[in-house]
Amino acid sequence: MSFNIDAVVSDMASAIKDVTGSHWNKVKGTADQFLQNRKESLALIAELRITGELSEEKFKSRLQDEKLIAEAQLNALAVISKAIAQKAANAAIEVLEKAAKTALGSIL
């Protein structure tokens, strides 16, 4: 399976939408902006892991950094609670992690 960052970003947005539920309309702009602004970085992290240039440990560390960045941006919205922001950030990064692992598994 190949890695398609556009599909992954779309799936990440869907994961955030699922978690934020009725707040999605208020969160959508910020979430979309975050994902578009971080798209190149997210793609690079995934590609480095898929090609083996990034160890699992470093990959997890980079994903944790991305979670914290996502959470900070989502927390900036007063309309959602910190717990929802954490869940939304976790859901989005889990999508990226799974996509990279799937792509990695298909080349091994």
Side-chain angles (χ1 to χ4, degrees), residues 1-13 35-36 39-40 42-44 46-47 50 92 95-104 106-107:
M1 174 183 197
S2 64
F3 182 84
N4 179 329
I5 190 61
D6 293 319
V8 172
V9 165
S10 178
D11 290 346
M12 291 172 78
L35 291 170
Q36 289 307 311
K39 186 175 174 179
E40 286 183 35
L42 298 171
L44 179 61
E47 291 297 333
I50 292 164
V95 168
L96 175 66
E97 182 178 12
K98 287 178 186 175
K101 283 185 177 185
T102 299
L104 179 62
S106 69
I107 61 171

Side-chain angles (χ1 to χ4, degrees), residues 15-108:
I16 294 171
K17 181 180 180 182
D18 290 346
V19 171
T20 57
S22 64
H23 297 291
W24 173 243
N25 288 337
K26 295 173 185 168
V27 176
K28 184 182 185 322
T30 300
D32 287 342
Q33 183 179 15
F34 164 76
L35 291 170
Q36 289 307 311
N37 289 346
R38 302 299 300 165
K39 186 175 174 179
E40 286 183 35
S41 178
L42 298 171
L44 179 61
I45 292 167
E47 291 297 333
L48 290 173
R49 179 63 192 119
I50 292 164
T51 61
E53 296 177 53
L54 197 61
S55 69
E56 180 69 16
E57 182 179 325
K58 296 256 186 209
F59 179 61
K60 293 276 191 185
S61 176
R62 297 273 176 104
L63 291 180
Q64 183 61 36
D65 293 343
E66 291 299 327
K67 279 184 200 178
L68 293 174
I69 293 167
E71 184 180 334
Q73 288 200 343
L74 292 169
N75 267 329
L77 299 172
V79 298
I80 59 174
S81 72
K82 182 176 180 174
I84 292 173
Q86 287 174 332
K87 288 179 183 179
N90 287 341
I93 297 301
E94 284 174 13
V95 168
L96 175 66
E97 182 178 12
K98 287 178 186 175
K101 283 185 177 185
T102 299
L104 179 62
S106 69
I107 61 171
L108 292 180

